[in-house]
Amino acid sequence: MLQKIVCLTIPGMAPFEFGVICEVFGIDRTEHGGPTFEFHVVAAEPGPVRMKLGFDIVVHEGLETAADADLIAVPAYLGDGSAHPEILRVIREAEARGAWVLSVCSGAFLLAEAGILDGRRATTHWMYTDKLARLYPDVEVDPDVLFVEDGKVVTGAGTAAGIDAALHVVRKELGASAANIVARRMVVPPQRDGGQSQFIQTPVVECKSDSFAVVTEWMLAHLDQDLSVDLLARKALMSSRTFARRFRAELGTTPTAWLNRQRLLRAQQLLEESDMSLEEIAGECGFGGAAVMRHHFLKVLQTTPTAYRRTFGARQFA
């Protein structure tokens, strides 16, 4: 169970990414049916910690608090390879005992310095991926994703992608409903795929129409139907080829992949909140049958719908 969260502070860290960790894990959301965590902010040397923008925060707890943490979180920090040795020890020990370790943006450099990214896939802000790969050649750096989960080590890409990475951990441990409640409070999308591009190189079309918003809303309302690209293109008043190309440019993924993800999210919600049978849920979400739904669960979530329901069904977070 994900309960005790410890955020490491490092001189020179970025305030936004630090705030992301505090926002996702530091707020009691039981009033809205969501989770609450035992959240701690710690430092190698408690006291004032200078932020990247020149102001200080005062940290009262030391690293001993991290000894039994379920998750160690590291905000953005582009260090010079000379981090405090006790910080590195805490990260190594957390990974060794099977705790989650999460970095946001350039916080991946601290994980790499600790050695826990060796032999693993990882990412960081696209501005720094070349540097990470150069300094730490044993790390398999992927520059084109929002976040990477390798074992229980999660590295998030630039800035807002840290929200996606943090919500991913919540979803893995507590289910889609918990992550959705946190996302709703933060007014952010509940899930963007980790494999989605960090940034879209193709310029967004000049047309100011909200046709994609209209189409995606219609898709969400008709998940149980056979939604071919040809049908969706007609809804958007485009050719199939143009629709597929512009959809990927604006949303960072293909129409089919986006649709499958939304169907999976809806199935997760129904498994958590309803007593519908697997066949009923598969039909409601557009998978056609329980066997197809099971295939998608295994492919994306590495679990079966039955096991997912057993773990997250009627979950209480208070």
Side-chain angles (χ1 to χ4, degrees), residues 27-51:
I27 296 177
D28 184 347
R29 294 184 170 89
T30 53
E31 179 184 357
H32 297 91
T36 183
F37 303 102
E38 180 188 340
F39 183 69
H40 301 267
V41 176
V42 306
E45 299 175 357
V49 176
R50 180 57 54 95
M51 305 291 280

Side-chain angles (χ1 to χ4, degrees), residues 267-291:
Q268 289 176 262
Q269 180 185 13
L270 292 175
L271 287 167
E272 293 179 29
E273 301 175 358
S274 79
D275 58 359
M276 296 169 63
S277 71
L278 297 187
E279 286 293 343
E280 288 173 329
I281 291 174
E284 177 80 12
C285 299
F287 286 121

